[in-house]
Amino acid sequence: ADSAARILVITNPNNPLATNYSHAELLTAYRFATKHGLHLISDEIYARSVHAESGEPFVSMAQIALEEGLQDGGLGPRLHLLYGLSKDFTCSGFRVGVLYSENAELQAACANLQALAGVGTPTQNAIEDLLEDLEWAKQFLHTSAQRLAANATALADGLESLGCRVLRPSAGLFLVADLNPLAPGGKIKTFKDELRFFHKIYDETKIVASPGEACHFRSPGWF
């Protein structure tokens, strides 16, 4: 069977690293996908949750496509952008997402899903009111970014004071840390030990610290 790759998927800002890809990295990915005829899916659900003043700024893959100018002013049929309101606007219960694509076949396929995955009228009305109030939305996102930055700094400082290594986040609602120093004996030797420590953290604190193995980390102890 033909098992050649057909799609390149990028999450930017990155999950779970909570960092932005650089303009150069995104350009490389776009050119790679274009060269090999791949569909490129850019998941940008954390786009407005960038909260660090340092680090790479957020750049949408749409900007990269327009800068390359290969599609006569559009994005072309192989670039697809994903967004949603569950992260930036904390509206996860509304179950509202966005797919932007100029691919006619994909649009037709999605149209057939409307009966099963459509957004209810009351939710549509609420979202319309939310997004039409541009001043409120701007202030909400600004305040959210300030609070995310403060919370991320407090958590990173606290973990580092306990001897943990921390990847300081620049976006998103989470961070990655090496919790080996907090484990019994100061070392998590296997992924089974990591899972046991995950349950210990939850049982004692009710904090969900996602095990690194679930995110394909190569060594145990990162959460």
Side-chain angles (χ1 to χ4, degrees):
D2 185 0
S3 59
R6 295 287 184 268
I7 300 172
L8 175 63
V9 181
I10 287 182
T11 301
N12 183 44
N14 183 280
N15 180 1
L17 300 182
T19 56
N20 294 315
Y21 287 104
S22 69
H23 185 283
E25 289 169 332
L26 294 171
L27 182 59
T28 297
Y30 180 83
R31 288 177 174 174
F32 176 85
T34 300
K35 176 181 177 180
H36 295 283
L38 302 178
H39 286 268
L40 176 55
I41 298 175
S42 182
D43 183 348
E44 302 178 358
I45 197 168
Y46 294 101
R48 298 306 303 271
S49 290
V50 178
H51 51 76
E53 295 182 359
S54 59
E56 297 289 345
F58 170 75
V59 178
S60 174
M61 191 62 78
Q63 178 179 331
I64 300 296
L66 294 175
E67 288 175 357
E68 285 292 273
L70 302 179
Q71 306 297 336
D72 297 324
L75 303 187
R78 293 182 179 272
L79 175 58
H80 319 286
L81 307 179
L82 299 179
Y83 186 69
L85 301 183
S86 61
K87 310 301 183 183
D88 294 345
F89 286 95
T90 67
C91 292
S92 56
F94 283 7
R95 316 306 295 172
V96 175
V98 177
L99 163 65
Y100 182 88
S101 175
E102 296 175 357
N103 186 301
E105 291 180 276
L106 180 57
Q107 292 173 0
C110 290
N112 290 330
L113 296 175
Q114 277 295 97
L116 299 176
V119 178
T121 300
T123 302
Q124 291 185 40
N125 290 337
I127 295 300
E128 180 183 13
D129 290 342
L130 183 154
L131 296 179
E132 281 187 341
D133 191 342
L134 298 181
E135 282 303 314
W136 177 88
K138 180 179 179 181
Q139 184 58 44
F140 176 86
L141 293 170
H142 176 72
T143 301
S144 176
Q146 288 182 318
R147 292 176 178 175
L148 286 171
N151 291 341
T153 298
L155 178 57
D157 288 348
L159 289 171
E160 288 177 345
S161 73
L162 298 173
C164 299
R165 291 181 293 170
V166 177
L167 177 60
R168 294 258 172 176
S170 56
L173 317 178
F174 40 80
L175 57 74
V176 172
D178 176 7
L179 301 189
N180 271 291
L182 305 183
K187 180 66 176 178
I188 300 174
K189 297 181 179 179
T190 68
F191 284 114
K192 287 186 177 179
D193 291 337
E194 181 182 85
L195 185 59
R196 281 192 285 269
F197 191 48
F198 159 77
H199 287 293
K200 178 179 175 63
I201 294 173
Y202 180 76
D203 291 342
E204 296 182 5
T205 68
K206 304 307 176 186
I207 295 174
V208 178
S210 299
E213 184 182 22
C215 301
H216 305 286
F217 279 70
R218 295 182 179 180
S219 57
W222 290 88
F223 289 80

